Amino acid sequence: MTYLHDQMASTGKVKRSKDLPQGAERLKEEHRKVVKDCRSQIEHWNKVEKDYESLQDRLRTLPDKLSYDIMVPFGPLAFMPGKLVHTNELTVLLGDNWFAKCSAKQADTLVEHRKKHVKNALDDLQKVMKNFQNKDDFTDDLEKLAGDTEDFVDIREEVINEEEFTKGKRLAHKPNSKPKQEYLSDLEEDTEKKEGDEERTTGLLSEEELWARLDELECEEELQDERYRHAVRINTGKNTTLKFSERNEQKVQAKRKKKSGKSNGLSPHESYKITSPADIYRVFVDLVNGEPIPRKSILKSRSRENSVCSDTSESSTADFEERRAAFGRSWSHDDATHSDTSDGITEEESPTGTSPRTNGRFEAFTGTVIEKEPLPCSIPYLTIAPPALPTIPERKLEEVGPEALQEPPKRMSKFKATRLHQT
Amino acid sequence: MAEAIQKKLQSELEKYQQLQKDVSKSMSARQKLEAQLTENNIVKEELALLDIQNTVYKLIGPVLVKQDLDEAKATVSKRLEYINGEIQRYETLLKEMERKSEQHREVLSSLQHVNIFCRPSGLSRPRVNYAR
């Protein structure tokens, strides 16, 4: 035990070349030992069986004559001529110091019975031996698998400084973080190394492609984010509603300007244009630590970040949401348009001006977006919170247009809204 | 500090070895019992093959004592039950000893880790994080 620990302590990491053959060697040794044991035992039992068979022969011939002339052993060194009588009467040892007087035929039966036991033992041993032989062959194959680099390769990654990554518990990715560059670089390395292996390279490449595409899309989105700066609701905590007010709006803008450091040339009005479905996502953005972070889904509110369930952290959802948004630009997300998802987006759209334009774009949304209606009527859509969703209680309404938004946020189902809208 | 730990390690090691010896002793006793079990089973079966005409003897010391067939059968059955009971007892004993030896093993390994860390430097630099 100490030896192993010392070894580990000295090397620090498991070397690929040394470890596997050693382990395999050890395993094979054990297998071979067992197989050898089995073989010797099988030999022993075979001898026993032969003995019994010769005994049976003797038993069958013994009663043929009434008496036999034999040389009787006297002690270890001498013999005496004598006669063997009562040839049919045998005292048989039954085992455990029990004896029985029986005839030759009965003895024969007993011997048969014993031979059955011997056969059972032999069968068991044969099975065990075959088992271990198979195991041995399998480890041989495994070794070949891992050792050679030709047909199959055992995928191994060397973990350096494991403590750094785990720190005792798992950490979710920070929002807007790309997957660690090291992993990416490892992937690249691996693909370079094992290019001969078709199966794996294709898999890795596609993964790499994925990451690359993700990065592209992220960059694109960031650029777009800069251009379309909507009013971002500061996270004022759980269960608080923030009514639309110009003061806040200005505050927010001021904060944004301060933090971004770029002059946002667009007027507040223009910044709230929704021209594509993705813009909706831009609207539903949380401000965390001064950074606008897109939310995982506009149905989800930040109220769940303190919940016990896993992965409700904003960071992880935001991360996930990024990717989703990146992938599905042309997503038609019905509920997204209607749900007003959380603690605070104040969406200040200039209602009338944009609505005719948005009409055309809303084709991506199936059937629940109003067309040819002044935006104030569409406001109810944006303020709808489907009652089934758990995050409803936390949601604050978006205040889309100035007029309609002055009233306290009403919640109605989208069906009701459609009805209202249609009537 | 390292010496105290060394001493502790030694004593723990001895205890562990003692325990291992006990375990192996119990193991061998149990194996013997198992052999007796199979033997007595065979005797029982063979007695069943005999009939009342055959005289059954029991070897007690240097003497072959005549026994009744039915009596012999009963005696063998009782012996079988006794052997089974003994095997059960040894089983529980072994399990208990195994558990204790496991505990000792853990103590030993933890002591060893401490030992490695506290060892005067220059020998080996531990790099693997054992803390769990």
Side-chain angles (χ1 to χ4, degrees), chain A residues 2 99 101 106 113-114, chain B residues 45-46 54-55 57 112 125:
Chain A
T2 11
F99 289 83
K101 260 207 162 88
Q106 285 167 333
H113 175 255
R114 284 194 202 169
Chain B
E45 286 163 20
E46 289 185 350
N54 310 103
T55 32
Y57 297 94
Q112 252 185 350
R125 188 163 53 93

Side-chain angles (χ1 to χ4, degrees), chain A residues 133-151:
Chain A
Q133 197 66 42
N134 287 340
K135 279 192 203 172
D136 201 18
D137 293 337
F138 181 68
T139 46
D140 271 338
D141 287 340
L142 200 65
E143 207 183 5
K144 221 188 343 171
L145 233 65
D148 299 336
T149 49
E150 301 193 359
D151 294 339

